Every structure is written in C-alpha cells, then in structure tokens.
C-alpha cells in the first residue's frame, strides 16, 4: 500500500462513529435509544401494503427508469403543487433519489468545482461536510448559536465572496429544530439573487413544523432557477429504511444532479417508489395528524427533560430536542452521552459531532422524540432518577 493512508484525505477526520457507538451501547446496556432519528413504529399500514403489492405485481423489481418511476415523479410534482402552489414538470424537473442523502451528495458532486465555497448552517447534518469535501469544495460554517439558533444574517452577508458558489440550507434544521422565519427566508433569497448563488435546500422535515410554517425557498422571487429542493419520504411517512427521496428544480439543475446520481446508484429502489407515490397522495388529515402527534411527543419530552434538570431549547420542527447539560454540572457532551446508558438507561447524542469546532457545542446534547409516548415517558422517568 506504499505507506499511503487508505482513506481519501478529503474524508479523513470527518467520519463520526458516534451513532454506531451509541447504538451499540443501547444494545449492550438495554438503554432506550433516543440517539439516532428513526421512529419506533412503522408508517401507515396501507403504504406498507402498497410496497408489498408492488413487489408481488413485479412493479419496480427490475431497474426502474433513472429519473424515477413516472408515478412517483408525478406524485412529487402534485405534492409540491398541493402544499406550496409550486409547479414542476414531472418529466424534466423531478428526480427520484436514494433518500435525501443521495440527493445532497449528487447535488454537491454535480454543482461544485474544487475550490468553491459552500456556506451551511453549523451544526451540520453529518453528511454535508463529507459531500462538500468529496466534491473538493470548502465548507464555510454559519454557526447557529443557542438559545434561539437563529442565523446571523449580517454574518452570512459578510461571508459571501467571489468563491462562494452555493448555500446548503436545512430548515427545519437538524439538530437544533430551528425553522426559518419569513424575514430570514426573504433575506437569504435576496442575498442568493444578488450574488448569483446556487442554493440547495434540505427539506426532509417539511411536514414536521410545530411553530411557524415551512415555505420552500424555491418559491421565493428569483429562486426558481437557482435552487435544488431536496426532500424525502423517510421522515414524513416513518419509513426511514426505504430511502426514497427526491429533488425538484429547474430542468437544467435537475439534469445536472441526475448526471451525478446516475454514477452513484444509477436508479433507486423500484417497488418502494410506487408505495411512496401512494403515500404522497394521502389525504391532508394524514399530514395534520402526523404533525399533531409529533408535537405532543416533543412537548412530552421537552417537559420531562426540563424537569430532569436539562436546559431545553424547544425545537420549532424536526424529530429532535437540543438540550444543554451545564445546569446538571456537566461540561462535556461526549463524556455525558457515553456514561448516560449505564447511568440512566438512555442514549442521546453529543451535538459536538455536528460542529467543525466541537467546543462550540460542547455542552449540547440531542434527544430524538420520534418514539412511542410510553417509551418517552419511561426515558423521562429514568432521566429523573425515578
Ligand atoms: C437534515 C437531514 N437531511 C437528510 C437526512 C437523510 O435523509 P434520507 O434518509 O432520506 O437520506 C436526514 C436524516 O436524518 C436529516 O436529518
């Protein structure tokens, strides 16, 4: 091997094994896993049946079309119209991907050249740093600071320079739960237009906004031709293992992303695409009930964490609550999370893993509330030492 490191140097130092470590701890200690963001109940039975039906009927068992099956592309376009009044041509302006993760990777690989700068909110969802690095570009963090985690727009303006190519934005934001306000959306869109920037919006929690409203940035003036909007079925329909996501945007941008996607997975899981097409057509009541259910879970866990002595930063959206452990006399989220399963029988994640500079999130710890109420109640009881 000529003494060369095996791992590509662009990825070296980016990998975080914390999720694997914490899930392993949950298994060995029998702790309640509020670490990784996946629900502990599956999504609607009729949607699961739709996947079984597709498999049995031989729909999608062989390579589906590269851009995704027409049924799903049309359902995505109809969803964008129904919820946001946006019109996309399913043939040229919609692309099905292997989850939002592949959509983000393909967008970065397609749209960036080495040396380009990408501004993203820090703490970042963990794949962002790696995808920007794989494209040879440079990530430039705009740090969201507790307690409100609002983006500092003056700072954002000052960060834009001739090398800035793209804004990689996530709202509702994992892990902080921040949801952009109308003023913030407008300011960001104006900045993107003024500096002719591309924008990739990760909207996987679009249906999980509890306070405020999700409005896709692509719907703002001047954004249609410069935005790649990314979403996924995983969170909205509680089938995170199916990995069906999508991209919407102008034909030129979608075609660029499709070119990169073609060399990553070529196509995405066939039968699940038919099932997700049905899921996107569920009645409004499904989406409203889903949000109400998650809001109640957020409130249950937030109250319990506060009673257990954590400082709680209530999220406006997503699956997650960020807390601060300083009031508990703790000052290191990593050590706290490594000890917590043994100490209390609960698994959480240190937010430091989502920062370039771990010190920034040193005392922050993230808990997922996409679990059954009885599980959340038990976790709270354990954290309160009952
Ligand atoms: C902000 C964000 N983006 C993307 C993803 C990944 O989505 P998918 O499972 O559809 O690839 C997640 C999953 O946790 C996420 O939190």
């Amino acid at each position: 091997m000529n003494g060369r490191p095996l791992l590509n140097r662009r990825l070296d130092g980016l990998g975080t094994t914390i999720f694997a470590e914490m899930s392993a701890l949950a298994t060995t200690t029998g702790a309640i896993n509020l670490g990784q963001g996946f629900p502990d109940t599956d999504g609607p039975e009729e949607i699961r049946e739709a996947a079984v039906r597709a498999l049995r009927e031989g729909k999608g068992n062989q390579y589906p079309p590269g851009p995704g099956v027409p049924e799903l592309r049309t359902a995505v376009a109809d969803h964008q119209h129904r919820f946001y009044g946006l019109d996309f041509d399913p043939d040229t302006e919609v692309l099905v991907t292997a989850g939002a993760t592949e959509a983000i990777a393909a967008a970065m690989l397609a749209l960036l050249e080495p040396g380009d700068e990408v501004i993203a909110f820090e703490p970042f969802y963990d794949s962002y740093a790696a995808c920007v690095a794989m494209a040879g570009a440079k990530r430039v963090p705009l740090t969201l600071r507790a307690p409100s985690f609002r983006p500092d727009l003056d700072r954002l303006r000052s960060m834009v320079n001739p090398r800035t190519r793209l804004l990689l934005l996530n709202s509702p934001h994992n892990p902080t739960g921040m949801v952009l306000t109308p003023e913030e959306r407008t300011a960001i869109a104006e900045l993107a237009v003024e500096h002719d920037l591309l924008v990739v919006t990760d909207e996987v929690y679009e249906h999980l906004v509890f306070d405020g409203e999700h409005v896709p940035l692509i719907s703002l003036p001047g954004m249609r031709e410069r935005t790649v909007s990314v979403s996924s079925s995983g969170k909205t329909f509680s089938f995170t293992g199916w990995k069906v996501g999508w991209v919407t945007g102008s034909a030129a941008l979608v075609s660029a992303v499709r070119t990169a996607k073609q060399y990553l997975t070529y196509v995405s899981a066939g039968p699940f695409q038919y099932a997700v097409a049905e899921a996107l057509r569920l009645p409004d009541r499904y989406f409203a009930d889903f949000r109400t259910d998650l809001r109640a879970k957020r409130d249950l866990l937030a109250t319990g964490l506060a009673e257990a002595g954590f400082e709680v930063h209530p999220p406006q959206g997503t699956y997650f609550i960020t807390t601060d452990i300083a009031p508990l006399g703790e000052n290191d989220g990593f050590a706290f999370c490594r000890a917590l399963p043994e100490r209390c029988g609960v698994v959480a994640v240190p937010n430091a893993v989502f920062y370039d500079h771990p010190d920034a999130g040193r005392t922050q710890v993230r808990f997922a509330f996409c679990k059954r109420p009885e599980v959340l109640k038990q976790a709270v009881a354990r954290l309160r030492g009952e």
Side-chain angles (χ1 to χ4, degrees), residues 48-102:
R48 192 161 41 173
E49 281 308 312
V52 172
R53 209 180 331 115
L55 274 163
R56 290 224 168 92
E57 289 174 2
K59 286 163 92 176
N61 289 335
Q62 308 306 328
Y63 293 130
V69 302
E71 287 82 347
L72 178 53
R73 280 185 279 123
T74 306
V76 168
D78 290 348
H79 169 276
Q80 297 305 85
H81 184 81
R82 168 171 151 201
F83 287 98
Y84 309 118
L86 289 164
D87 290 309
F88 293 101
D89 178 344
D91 290 332
T92 57
E93 297 185 317
V94 179
L95 170 68
V96 175
T97 56
T101 307
E102 189 201 28

Short mmCIF file of all heavy atoms in Angstrom, two decimals, residues 48-102:
data_model
loop_
_atom_site.label_atom_id
_atom_site.label_comp_id
_atom_site.label_asym_id
_atom_site.label_seq_id
_atom_site.Cartn_x
_atom_site.Cartn_y
_atom_site.Cartn_z
N ARG A 48 -47.39 0.42 3.57
CA ARG A 48 -46.57 -0.79 3.61
C ARG A 48 -47.17 -1.84 2.66
O ARG A 48 -46.45 -2.50 1.91
CB ARG A 48 -46.52 -1.32 5.03
CG ARG A 48 -45.47 -2.38 5.19
CD ARG A 48 -45.08 -2.60 6.61
NE ARG A 48 -46.19 -2.58 7.54
CZ ARG A 48 -46.06 -2.89 8.83
NH1 ARG A 48 -44.87 -3.21 9.29
NH2 ARG A 48 -47.08 -2.88 9.65
N GLU A 49 -48.49 -1.95 2.68
CA GLU A 49 -49.16 -2.90 1.79
C GLU A 49 -48.93 -2.52 0.32
O GLU A 49 -48.83 -3.39 -0.54
CB GLU A 49 -50.67 -2.96 2.08
CG GLU A 49 -51.01 -3.79 3.30
CD GLU A 49 -50.39 -5.19 3.25
OE1 GLU A 49 -50.50 -5.87 2.21
OE2 GLU A 49 -49.74 -5.59 4.25
N ALA A 50 -48.87 -1.24 0.06
CA ALA A 50 -48.63 -0.79 -1.33
C ALA A 50 -47.26 -1.26 -1.80
O ALA A 50 -47.10 -1.66 -2.97
CB ALA A 50 -48.74 0.73 -1.43
N ALA A 51 -46.28 -1.27 -0.89
CA ALA A 51 -44.94 -1.75 -1.27
C ALA A 51 -44.98 -3.26 -1.54
O ALA A 51 -44.41 -3.75 -2.52
CB ALA A 51 -43.94 -1.44 -0.15
N VAL A 52 -45.71 -3.99 -0.68
CA VAL A 52 -45.83 -5.45 -0.87
C VAL A 52 -46.51 -5.74 -2.21
O VAL A 52 -46.08 -6.59 -2.99
CB VAL A 52 -46.64 -6.07 0.31
CG1 VAL A 52 -46.94 -7.54 0.05
CG2 VAL A 52 -45.89 -5.88 1.62
N ARG A 53 -47.58 -4.97 -2.47
CA ARG A 53 -48.32 -5.17 -3.72
C ARG A 53 -47.40 -4.94 -4.93
O ARG A 53 -47.39 -5.72 -5.88
CB ARG A 53 -49.51 -4.20 -3.75
CG ARG A 53 -50.69 -4.72 -4.55
CD ARG A 53 -51.87 -3.73 -4.58
NE ARG A 53 -52.00 -2.87 -3.45
CZ ARG A 53 -51.88 -1.53 -3.47
NH1 ARG A 53 -51.63 -0.92 -4.60
NH2 ARG A 53 -52.03 -0.81 -2.38
N ALA A 54 -46.62 -3.86 -4.85
CA ALA A 54 -45.72 -3.55 -5.97
C ALA A 54 -44.73 -4.69 -6.20
O ALA A 54 -44.51 -5.13 -7.33
CB ALA A 54 -44.99 -2.24 -5.71
N LEU A 55 -44.19 -5.21 -5.09
CA LEU A 55 -43.25 -6.33 -5.21
C LEU A 55 -43.92 -7.54 -5.87
O LEU A 55 -43.37 -8.15 -6.78
CB LEU A 55 -42.79 -6.76 -3.80
CG LEU A 55 -41.60 -6.02 -3.21
CD1 LEU A 55 -41.54 -6.24 -1.71
CD2 LEU A 55 -40.32 -6.51 -3.86
N ARG A 56 -45.15 -7.84 -5.38
CA ARG A 56 -45.85 -9.02 -5.89
C ARG A 56 -46.24 -8.84 -7.36
O ARG A 56 -46.23 -9.80 -8.13
CB ARG A 56 -47.13 -9.26 -5.09
CG ARG A 56 -46.84 -9.73 -3.68
CD ARG A 56 -47.76 -10.89 -3.28
NE ARG A 56 -47.29 -11.50 -2.05
CZ ARG A 56 -47.71 -11.14 -0.83
NH1 ARG A 56 -48.62 -10.20 -0.70
NH2 ARG A 56 -47.21 -11.72 0.24
N GLU A 57 -46.60 -7.61 -7.71
CA GLU A 57 -47.05 -7.38 -9.10
C GLU A 57 -45.86 -7.17 -10.04
O GLU A 57 -46.04 -6.86 -11.21
CB GLU A 57 -47.98 -6.16 -9.14
CG GLU A 57 -49.33 -6.43 -8.49
CD GLU A 57 -50.22 -5.19 -8.38
OE1 GLU A 57 -49.80 -4.11 -8.86
OE2 GLU A 57 -51.31 -5.31 -7.82
N GLY A 58 -44.65 -7.26 -9.48
CA GLY A 58 -43.48 -7.11 -10.34
C GLY A 58 -43.25 -5.67 -10.78
O GLY A 58 -42.66 -5.43 -11.84
N LYS A 59 -43.75 -4.72 -9.97
CA LYS A 59 -43.54 -3.31 -10.34
C LYS A 59 -42.25 -2.82 -9.69
O LYS A 59 -42.15 -2.72 -8.47
CB LYS A 59 -44.72 -2.46 -9.86
CG LYS A 59 -45.97 -2.68 -10.71
CD LYS A 59 -47.20 -2.21 -10.01
CE LYS A 59 -47.53 -0.78 -10.35
NZ LYS A 59 -48.82 -0.38 -9.70
N GLY A 60 -41.26 -2.54 -10.52
CA GLY A 60 -40.00 -2.00 -9.99
C GLY A 60 -39.02 -3.05 -9.53
O GLY A 60 -38.00 -2.72 -8.94
N ASN A 61 -39.30 -4.34 -9.82
CA ASN A 61 -38.33 -5.36 -9.40
C ASN A 61 -37.11 -5.40 -10.31
O ASN A 61 -36.07 -5.93 -9.94
CB ASN A 61 -38.99 -6.74 -9.37
CG ASN A 61 -39.96 -6.87 -8.20
OD1 ASN A 61 -39.83 -6.16 -7.20
ND2 ASN A 61 -40.94 -7.74 -8.33
N GLN A 62 -37.25 -4.87 -11.49
CA GLN A 62 -36.08 -4.69 -12.38
C GLN A 62 -35.78 -3.19 -12.43
O GLN A 62 -36.62 -2.37 -12.05
CB GLN A 62 -36.36 -5.25 -13.77
CG GLN A 62 -36.87 -6.68 -13.78
CD GLN A 62 -35.95 -7.64 -13.02
OE1 GLN A 62 -34.73 -7.45 -12.99
NE2 GLN A 62 -36.52 -8.66 -12.40
N TYR A 63 -34.58 -2.85 -12.92
CA TYR A 63 -34.17 -1.45 -12.93
C TYR A 63 -35.30 -0.51 -13.36
O TYR A 63 -35.77 -0.57 -14.49
CB TYR A 63 -33.03 -1.22 -13.93
CG TYR A 63 -31.72 -1.87 -13.57
CD1 TYR A 63 -31.03 -2.65 -14.51
CD2 TYR A 63 -31.14 -1.67 -12.33
CE1 TYR A 63 -29.81 -3.23 -14.20
CE2 TYR A 63 -29.92 -2.26 -12.01
CZ TYR A 63 -29.26 -3.03 -12.94
OH TYR A 63 -28.06 -3.60 -12.64
N PRO A 64 -35.73 0.35 -12.45
CA PRO A 64 -36.72 1.36 -12.88
C PRO A 64 -36.03 2.45 -13.69
O PRO A 64 -34.79 2.50 -13.75
CB PRO A 64 -37.24 1.90 -11.55
CG PRO A 64 -36.17 1.63 -10.55
CD PRO A 64 -35.38 0.44 -11.04
N PRO A 65 -36.79 3.36 -14.31
CA PRO A 65 -36.15 4.44 -15.07
C PRO A 65 -35.23 5.28 -14.18
O PRO A 65 -35.53 5.48 -13.00
CB PRO A 65 -37.33 5.29 -15.55
CG PRO A 65 -38.55 4.43 -15.39
CD PRO A 65 -38.25 3.43 -14.32
N GLY A 66 -34.12 5.74 -14.73
CA GLY A 66 -33.13 6.51 -13.99
C GLY A 66 -33.71 7.68 -13.20
O GLY A 66 -33.39 7.87 -12.02
N PRO A 67 -34.58 8.49 -13.80
CA PRO A 67 -35.10 9.64 -13.06
C PRO A 67 -36.15 9.26 -12.02
O PRO A 67 -36.60 10.11 -11.26
CB PRO A 67 -35.77 10.50 -14.15
CG PRO A 67 -35.35 9.90 -15.45
CD PRO A 67 -35.00 8.48 -15.20
N GLY A 68 -36.56 7.99 -11.98
CA GLY A 68 -37.62 7.56 -11.07
C GLY A 68 -38.84 7.14 -11.86
O GLY A 68 -39.00 7.54 -13.02
N VAL A 69 -39.72 6.33 -11.23
CA VAL A 69 -40.89 5.86 -11.98
C VAL A 69 -41.84 7.05 -12.19
O VAL A 69 -41.95 7.92 -11.33
CB VAL A 69 -41.61 4.68 -11.28
CG1 VAL A 69 -40.65 3.50 -11.08
CG2 VAL A 69 -42.23 5.08 -9.96
N PRO A 70 -42.52 7.10 -13.35
CA PRO A 70 -43.37 8.26 -13.64
C PRO A 70 -44.42 8.48 -12.57
O PRO A 70 -44.75 9.63 -12.24
CB PRO A 70 -44.03 7.89 -14.98
CG PRO A 70 -43.16 6.83 -15.57
CD PRO A 70 -42.46 6.13 -14.45
N GLU A 71 -44.96 7.38 -11.98
CA GLU A 71 -46.00 7.53 -10.94
C GLU A 71 -45.47 8.38 -9.78
O GLU A 71 -46.18 9.23 -9.24
CB GLU A 71 -46.42 6.15 -10.40
CG GLU A 71 -47.27 5.33 -11.35
CD GLU A 71 -46.46 4.57 -12.39
OE1 GLU A 71 -45.25 4.86 -12.56
OE2 GLU A 71 -47.03 3.69 -13.05
N LEU A 72 -44.22 8.12 -9.38
CA LEU A 72 -43.68 8.87 -8.24
C LEU A 72 -43.31 10.30 -8.65
O LEU A 72 -43.56 11.26 -7.91
CB LEU A 72 -42.45 8.14 -7.64
CG LEU A 72 -41.78 8.88 -6.47
CD1 LEU A 72 -42.79 9.24 -5.37
CD2 LEU A 72 -40.66 8.03 -5.87
N ARG A 73 -42.74 10.45 -9.82
CA ARG A 73 -42.38 11.83 -10.24
C ARG A 73 -43.63 12.70 -10.33
O ARG A 73 -43.63 13.85 -9.90
CB ARG A 73 -41.64 11.78 -11.58
CG ARG A 73 -40.17 11.40 -11.39
CD ARG A 73 -39.39 11.46 -12.66
NE ARG A 73 -39.56 10.27 -13.47
CZ ARG A 73 -39.99 10.26 -14.73
NH1 ARG A 73 -40.30 11.38 -15.34
NH2 ARG A 73 -40.10 9.13 -15.39
N THR A 74 -44.72 12.12 -10.82
CA THR A 74 -45.97 12.89 -10.89
C THR A 74 -46.50 13.18 -9.49
O THR A 74 -46.97 14.28 -9.20
CB THR A 74 -47.02 12.10 -11.70
OG1 THR A 74 -46.44 11.78 -12.96
CG2 THR A 74 -48.28 12.91 -11.93
N ALA A 75 -46.39 12.18 -8.60
CA ALA A 75 -46.88 12.38 -7.23
C ALA A 75 -46.07 13.47 -6.52
O ALA A 75 -46.62 14.27 -5.75
CB ALA A 75 -46.82 11.07 -6.45
N VAL A 76 -44.76 13.51 -6.77
CA VAL A 76 -43.92 14.56 -6.16
C VAL A 76 -44.36 15.93 -6.69
O VAL A 76 -44.55 16.88 -5.92
CB VAL A 76 -42.42 14.31 -6.46
CG1 VAL A 76 -41.58 15.54 -6.08
CG2 VAL A 76 -41.92 13.08 -5.71
N ALA A 77 -44.55 16.01 -7.99
CA ALA A 77 -44.96 17.29 -8.58
C ALA A 77 -46.32 17.71 -8.00
O ALA A 77 -46.51 18.89 -7.64
CB ALA A 77 -45.04 17.17 -10.11
N ASP A 78 -47.24 16.77 -7.88
CA ASP A 78 -48.57 17.10 -7.33
C ASP A 78 -48.46 17.53 -5.86
O ASP A 78 -49.18 18.42 -5.41
CB ASP A 78 -49.52 15.90 -7.45
CG ASP A 78 -49.88 15.63 -8.91
OD1 ASP A 78 -49.60 16.49 -9.77
OD2 ASP A 78 -50.44 14.54 -9.19
N HIS A 79 -47.58 16.88 -5.12
CA HIS A 79 -47.37 17.25 -3.71
C HIS A 79 -46.85 18.69 -3.62
O HIS A 79 -47.31 19.48 -2.79
CB HIS A 79 -46.37 16.27 -3.08
CG HIS A 79 -45.85 16.67 -1.73
ND1 HIS A 79 -44.79 17.53 -1.56
CD2 HIS A 79 -46.26 16.34 -0.48
CE1 HIS A 79 -44.56 17.71 -0.27
NE2 HIS A 79 -45.43 17.01 0.41
N GLN A 80 -45.91 19.04 -4.48
CA GLN A 80 -45.35 20.41 -4.43
C GLN A 80 -46.43 21.44 -4.77
O GLN A 80 -46.46 22.53 -4.22
CB GLN A 80 -44.17 20.55 -5.40
CG GLN A 80 -42.97 19.66 -5.09
CD GLN A 80 -42.42 19.83 -3.69
OE1 GLN A 80 -42.90 19.21 -2.75
NE2 GLN A 80 -41.42 20.69 -3.53
N HIS A 81 -47.35 21.04 -5.65
CA HIS A 81 -48.44 21.95 -6.00
C HIS A 81 -49.45 22.05 -4.86
O HIS A 81 -49.87 23.13 -4.46
CB HIS A 81 -49.13 21.48 -7.28
CG HIS A 81 -50.19 22.44 -7.71
ND1 HIS A 81 -49.90 23.60 -8.41
CD2 HIS A 81 -51.52 22.47 -7.47
CE1 HIS A 81 -51.01 24.28 -8.59
NE2 HIS A 81 -52.01 23.62 -8.04
N ARG A 82 -49.80 20.90 -4.32
CA ARG A 82 -50.83 20.86 -3.27
C ARG A 82 -50.40 21.63 -2.02
O ARG A 82 -51.17 22.38 -1.45
CB ARG A 82 -51.08 19.39 -2.93
CG ARG A 82 -51.90 19.14 -1.69
CD ARG A 82 -52.20 17.63 -1.67
NE ARG A 82 -52.36 17.12 -0.36
CZ ARG A 82 -52.24 15.83 -0.01
NH1 ARG A 82 -51.93 14.93 -0.90
NH2 ARG A 82 -52.42 15.44 1.20
N PHE A 83 -49.15 21.47 -1.58
CA PHE A 83 -48.74 22.10 -0.33
C PHE A 83 -48.14 23.48 -0.52
O PHE A 83 -48.18 24.30 0.40
CB PHE A 83 -47.76 21.19 0.43
CG PHE A 83 -48.45 20.00 1.03
CD1 PHE A 83 -48.44 18.77 0.40
CD2 PHE A 83 -49.16 20.12 2.22
CE1 PHE A 83 -49.10 17.68 0.94
CE2 PHE A 83 -49.83 19.04 2.78
CZ PHE A 83 -49.80 17.81 2.13
N TYR A 84 -47.56 23.75 -1.68
CA TYR A 84 -46.81 25.01 -1.82
C TYR A 84 -47.20 25.81 -3.06
O TYR A 84 -46.60 26.87 -3.32
CB TYR A 84 -45.30 24.72 -1.87
CG TYR A 84 -44.84 23.85 -0.71
CD1 TYR A 84 -44.27 22.58 -0.95
CD2 TYR A 84 -45.00 24.26 0.61
CE1 TYR A 84 -43.87 21.78 0.10
CE2 TYR A 84 -44.60 23.45 1.67
CZ TYR A 84 -44.04 22.21 1.40
OH TYR A 84 -43.64 21.41 2.45
N GLY A 85 -48.13 25.30 -3.86
CA GLY A 85 -48.53 26.01 -5.08
C GLY A 85 -47.43 26.08 -6.12
O GLY A 85 -47.44 26.95 -7.00
N LEU A 86 -46.47 25.15 -6.03
CA LEU A 86 -45.35 25.15 -6.98
C LEU A 86 -45.64 24.19 -8.14
O LEU A 86 -46.20 23.11 -7.93
CB LEU A 86 -44.07 24.69 -6.28
CG LEU A 86 -43.46 25.67 -5.28
CD1 LEU A 86 -42.45 24.96 -4.38
CD2 LEU A 86 -42.80 26.83 -6.02
N ASP A 87 -45.24 24.57 -9.33
CA ASP A 87 -45.48 23.70 -10.49
C ASP A 87 -44.15 23.19 -11.05
O ASP A 87 -43.28 23.99 -11.40
CB ASP A 87 -46.24 24.47 -11.58
CG ASP A 87 -47.66 24.74 -11.13
OD1 ASP A 87 -48.33 23.79 -10.70
OD2 ASP A 87 -48.07 25.92 -11.14
N PHE A 88 -44.03 21.88 -11.10
CA PHE A 88 -42.83 21.25 -11.69
C PHE A 88 -43.28 20.26 -12.75
O PHE A 88 -44.28 19.56 -12.57
CB PHE A 88 -42.02 20.51 -10.62
CG PHE A 88 -41.39 21.41 -9.60
CD1 PHE A 88 -41.95 21.57 -8.35
CD2 PHE A 88 -40.24 22.13 -9.91
CE1 PHE A 88 -41.37 22.41 -7.42
CE2 PHE A 88 -39.65 22.97 -8.98
CZ PHE A 88 -40.22 23.12 -7.73
N ASP A 89 -42.50 20.20 -13.81
CA ASP A 89 -42.76 19.22 -14.86
C ASP A 89 -42.18 17.87 -14.40
O ASP A 89 -40.95 17.76 -14.22
CB ASP A 89 -42.08 19.68 -16.15
CG ASP A 89 -42.27 18.69 -17.29
OD1 ASP A 89 -42.65 17.53 -17.02
OD2 ASP A 89 -42.01 19.07 -18.44
N PRO A 90 -43.05 16.86 -14.19
CA PRO A 90 -42.53 15.58 -13.67
C PRO A 90 -41.49 14.94 -14.57
O PRO A 90 -40.68 14.14 -14.12
CB PRO A 90 -43.77 14.69 -13.57
CG PRO A 90 -44.94 15.50 -13.99
CD PRO A 90 -44.49 16.85 -14.45
N ASP A 91 -41.49 15.28 -15.86
CA ASP A 91 -40.53 14.64 -16.77
C ASP A 91 -39.15 15.27 -16.71
O ASP A 91 -38.15 14.59 -16.93
CB ASP A 91 -41.05 14.71 -18.21
CG ASP A 91 -42.24 13.80 -18.40
OD1 ASP A 91 -42.30 12.78 -17.66
OD2 ASP A 91 -43.11 14.10 -19.22
N THR A 92 -39.08 16.55 -16.44
CA THR A 92 -37.77 17.22 -16.51
C THR A 92 -37.35 17.91 -15.23
O THR A 92 -36.18 18.25 -15.06
CB THR A 92 -37.78 18.29 -17.62
OG1 THR A 92 -38.85 19.22 -17.33
CG2 THR A 92 -37.98 17.69 -19.00
N GLU A 93 -38.30 18.10 -14.31
CA GLU A 93 -37.98 18.92 -13.13
C GLU A 93 -38.10 18.15 -11.81
O GLU A 93 -38.11 18.76 -10.74
CB GLU A 93 -38.88 20.17 -13.10
CG GLU A 93 -38.64 21.07 -14.32
CD GLU A 93 -39.42 22.36 -14.27
OE1 GLU A 93 -40.62 22.32 -13.90
OE2 GLU A 93 -38.84 23.40 -14.60
N VAL A 94 -38.19 16.84 -11.90
CA VAL A 94 -38.27 16.00 -10.70
C VAL A 94 -37.30 14.84 -10.90
O VAL A 94 -37.24 14.24 -11.98
CB VAL A 94 -39.70 15.43 -10.50
CG1 VAL A 94 -39.74 14.53 -9.26
CG2 VAL A 94 -40.73 16.55 -10.38
N LEU A 95 -36.54 14.51 -9.85
CA LEU A 95 -35.63 13.37 -9.89
C LEU A 95 -35.80 12.58 -8.61
O LEU A 95 -35.78 13.15 -7.51
CB LEU A 95 -34.18 13.88 -9.99
CG LEU A 95 -33.08 12.83 -9.81
CD1 LEU A 95 -33.06 11.86 -10.98
CD2 LEU A 95 -31.71 13.52 -9.66
N VAL A 96 -35.95 11.27 -8.74
CA VAL A 96 -36.05 10.40 -7.56
C VAL A 96 -34.64 9.95 -7.18
O VAL A 96 -33.83 9.61 -8.05
CB VAL A 96 -36.96 9.19 -7.86
CG1 VAL A 96 -36.97 8.20 -6.70
CG2 VAL A 96 -38.37 9.67 -8.18
N THR A 97 -34.36 9.96 -5.87
CA THR A 97 -33.01 9.61 -5.40
C THR A 97 -33.10 8.57 -4.28
O THR A 97 -34.17 8.32 -3.74
CB THR A 97 -32.31 10.87 -4.83
OG1 THR A 97 -33.15 11.42 -3.80
CG2 THR A 97 -32.08 11.91 -5.91
N ALA A 98 -31.92 8.02 -3.95
CA ALA A 98 -31.86 7.08 -2.82
C ALA A 98 -31.80 7.89 -1.53
O ALA A 98 -30.74 8.13 -0.95
CB ALA A 98 -30.64 6.18 -2.96
N GLY A 99 -32.94 8.38 -1.12
CA GLY A 99 -33.03 9.24 0.07
C GLY A 99 -32.50 10.63 -0.22
O GLY A 99 -31.94 10.91 -1.29
N ALA A 100 -32.71 11.50 0.76
CA ALA A 100 -32.18 12.85 0.65
C ALA A 100 -30.65 12.80 0.65
O ALA A 100 -29.98 13.66 0.07
CB ALA A 100 -32.68 13.72 1.81
N THR A 101 -30.10 11.79 1.30
CA THR A 101 -28.64 11.68 1.40
C THR A 101 -28.01 11.63 0.01
O THR A 101 -27.03 12.34 -0.27
CB THR A 101 -28.26 10.42 2.20
OG1 THR A 101 -28.97 10.45 3.44
CG2 THR A 101 -26.78 10.36 2.48
N GLU A 102 -28.58 10.79 -0.88
CA GLU A 102 -28.00 10.74 -2.22
C GLU A 102 -28.27 12.03 -2.99
O GLU A 102 -27.42 12.49 -3.76
CB GLU A 102 -28.57 9.56 -3.01
CG GLU A 102 -27.80 9.39 -4.31
CD GLU A 102 -28.53 8.61 -5.38
OE1 GLU A 102 -29.78 8.62 -5.40
OE2 GLU A 102 -27.85 7.99 -6.20
#
